[in-house]
Amino acid sequence: MSTSTDFERRTVRVVPGAETTTALRVRNDGDIVEAYGFQVVGECAAWTEVEPARLSLYPGTSQDVVVRLRPPRSSAVRAGETPLGVRVLPVERPDSAAVAETVVTIEPFAEQRLELVPERRRAWRSARYRVLAHNDGNTPVELALTTAEVDDRIRYTTTDQPIPVEPGADTEIPVRVRVGKVQWFGKPVTWPIRLSATAAEPEPREHDLAGEFIQLPIFPRWLLALLAALLALLLAWFLLVRPAVRSAAREAADDRAEEIQQAGQTQAPAPPPPPPPITTSAPRPGRSGDGQTGEGQPGTGGPGGVGTQSSSTIEVRTNTGGLGTGTYVVPEGKVFRITDILVANHQGDEGVLTIIFGERTVTTIALETFRNQDYHWVTPIDIPAGAAVTVNVSCAKPGTPATGRQARNCLELLNVSGQLADLE
């Protein structure tokens, strides 16, 4: 061969992130002037260069060139021994190329990045976190996670075994934080979280991690305020609004009764017929109504006579949501001079009751506003023969009588009193 090469050192030790040089001797053993170029081969080629890049030698002479190594501080440059080769390329005689070889020992370095994800969590009693570990060094490491007990009321749960992490790799270490007691009321409580991660190889190093766990109350303050407001509204309804509504309904019913009474007093008195014997009855359509009458003695009056005192009771029984009717029809040849009526709602039913004399509506009453209601007229109201006293009941809800059990249907009674006299 016309070219010979030799490294100054058989082993070159380099530190990632630093620069190291070594000498390479080139000798021209040929008989002509030769120019040489250089080519670095192997894993070190990316961060190795030769200076000068071109060299000329006379026959029988030699010269050193500088091989400059700049390994980056990266996990891609793994620690350990790596072969380095430099190919010397003659320009005039390419077939006489030579390769010089040496061994590069890359020193290890340790560098890790750790973070707690997330740094803050909000929960009632427990929360889960992750420790993200990234190995930026060029050698494998084992991470051991330890917890710092800052308070005996908070506990940590994590792995007890070291976690291996290869160069350039990532890993996650789960951590669970749990407080001892549930907080029912009050403000959120902030608990500090303290963790420590230690890398054993190659350079022992400790990493401190910090975070927060915000313990939320089961019932927040705004919910308590809302419940208090709702309770105040309920009390106001039962103590103020509901009694006022019932009072207004009773007053409206009383005003209507007074109007009916005043209307009855304005009627002209009819001439009293002679009092005959009385036999009265009220029709009972199905289960809707029932009429019962009292008995009087025969009268001696004529058309203008006083007549005989008489009364009739009409019973109306109605199912929920139904409309019931009860009637009392004045017998032929008679006139019924009404002076008093009594309405009984002994069960406390809910609905509407309407009283009709002949074709005239006397009154309409809400059942829930009374239990017993009576009306009286100084001047009698005359109901002619063939006309009827009618009671209509619309049942909304049966009430609860003195027995304490809710009735199956509505039951109302109307007693009509007055004089039953003969017509002229």
Side-chain angles (χ1 to χ4, degrees):
M1 295 181 60
S2 60
T3 304
S4 60
T5 61
D6 189 18
F7 270 103
E8 178 186 15
R9 292 179 287 175
R10 294 300 178 186
T11 301
V12 181
R13 188 173 296 275
V14 297
V15 178
E19 180 180 306
T20 303
T21 61
T22 186
L24 173 64
R25 178 162 293 183
V26 181
R27 181 178 176 82
N28 183 1
D29 295 327
D31 54 2
I32 63 173
V33 177
E34 186 65 86
Y36 300 95
F38 304 95
Q39 180 184 13
V40 182
V41 295
E43 296 182 5
C44 304
W47 38 270
T48 303
E49 62 182 13
V50 180
E51 295 178 358
R54 189 178 182 87
L55 177 66
S56 296
L57 293 176
Y58 288 100
T61 63
S62 63
Q63 185 175 337
D64 292 343
V65 293
V66 177
V67 179
R68 198 177 303 276
L69 298 94
R70 299 190 184 94
R73 190 177 176 86
S74 168
S75 59
V77 182
R78 301 292 292 268
E81 294 184 350
T82 302
L84 170 63
V86 177
R87 182 179 290 120
V88 181
L89 303 173
V91 177
E92 298 298 332
R93 296 176 179 176
D95 55 345
S96 61
V99 177
E101 294 183 349
T102 188
V103 176
V104 177
T105 301
I106 302 173
E107 294 289 338
F109 72 94
E111 186 173 338
Q112 301 90 31
R113 289 182 289 115
L114 288 89
E115 58 179 329
L116 184 64
V117 179
E119 293 185 357
R120 181 182 295 106
R121 274 198 182 278
R122 303 165 65 92
W124 286 332
R125 191 174 184 183
S126 65
R128 296 184 181 274
Y129 297 81
R130 295 173 296 152
V131 175
L132 297 183
H134 183 78
N135 185 6
D136 291 329
N138 64 350
T139 184
V141 296
E142 289 188 349
L143 294 176
L145 191 64
T146 58
T147 60
E149 299 290 342
V150 297
D151 197 295
D152 58 358
R153 292 174 294 175
I154 186 170
R155 292 178 296 177
Y156 300 88
T157 303
T158 185
T159 179
D160 296 332
Q161 301 297 326
I163 304 298
V165 187
E166 293 295 322
D170 297 322
T171 189
E172 293 184 1
I173 306 175
V175 179
R176 184 186 181 193
V177 178
R178 179 182 176 89
V179 296
K181 294 183 179 180
V182 175
Q183 184 182 3
W184 294 100
F185 306 98
K187 298 181 179 179
V189 178
T190 301
W191 299 89
I193 298 175
R194 297 290 184 267
L195 301 172
S196 178
T198 304
E201 295 292 342
E203 300 174 3
R205 183 179 178 185
E206 185 172 329
H207 302 267
D208 293 328
L209 303 172
E212 290 181 345
F213 172 53
I214 301 176
Q215 184 183 10
L216 302 176
I218 300 297
F219 299 104
R221 301 177 67 182
W222 64 265
L223 180 58
L224 296 179
L226 178 61
L227 292 176
L230 291 177
L231 181 59
L233 290 177
L234 289 175
L235 292 176
W237 166 259
F238 284 106
L239 298 179
L240 300 176
V241 180
R242 189 178 181 185
V245 172
R246 289 187 172 182
S247 178
R250 291 192 186 97
E251 292 178 359
D254 294 341
D255 292 342
R256 178 60 179 169
E258 291 180 1
E259 292 177 1
I260 295 173
Q261 183 175 1
Q262 292 176 359
Q265 291 176 354
T266 58
Q267 294 180 353
I278 300 174
T279 302
T280 62
S281 63
R284 184 184 180 112
R287 294 178 61 93
S288 298
D290 185 18
Q292 300 176 355
T293 62
E295 297 181 356
Q297 299 296 328
T300 59
V306 176
T308 303
Q309 188 68 27
S310 179
S311 66
S312 179
T313 300
I314 304 173
E315 175 185 320
V316 181
R317 190 181 298 272
T318 314
N319 293 329
T320 303
L323 177 64
T325 301
T327 59
Y328 164 71
V329 180
V330 179
E332 292 297 330
K334 302 289 184 180
V335 61
F336 194 14
R337 312 185 68 195
I338 299 175
T339 58
D340 305 276
I341 63 174
L342 174 63
V343 186
N345 178 21
H346 66 283
Q347 295 184 159
D349 302 330
E350 296 182 10
V352 178
L353 180 144
T354 303
I355 302 174
I356 303 172
F357 289 175
E359 306 224 348
R360 180 176 59 181
T361 300
V362 176
T363 184
T364 299
I365 313 174
L367 294 176
E368 53 266 28
T369 61
F370 75 97
R371 287 298 180 99
N372 291 291
Q373 186 76 32
D374 57 337
Y375 299 93
H376 310 280
W377 290 271
V378 176
T379 302
I381 299 176
D382 291 348
I383 307 298
V389 176
T390 305
V391 181
N392 293 330
V393 177
S394 175
C395 179
K397 177 182 178 182
T400 303
T403 59
R405 296 183 179 179
Q406 185 179 9
R408 300 178 62 180
N409 45 39
C410 295
L411 175 61
E412 275 64 52
L413 300 176
L414 174 66
N415 181 269
V416 185
S417 299
Q419 294 179 349
L420 191 63
D422 292 331
L423 291 175
E424 183 176 344

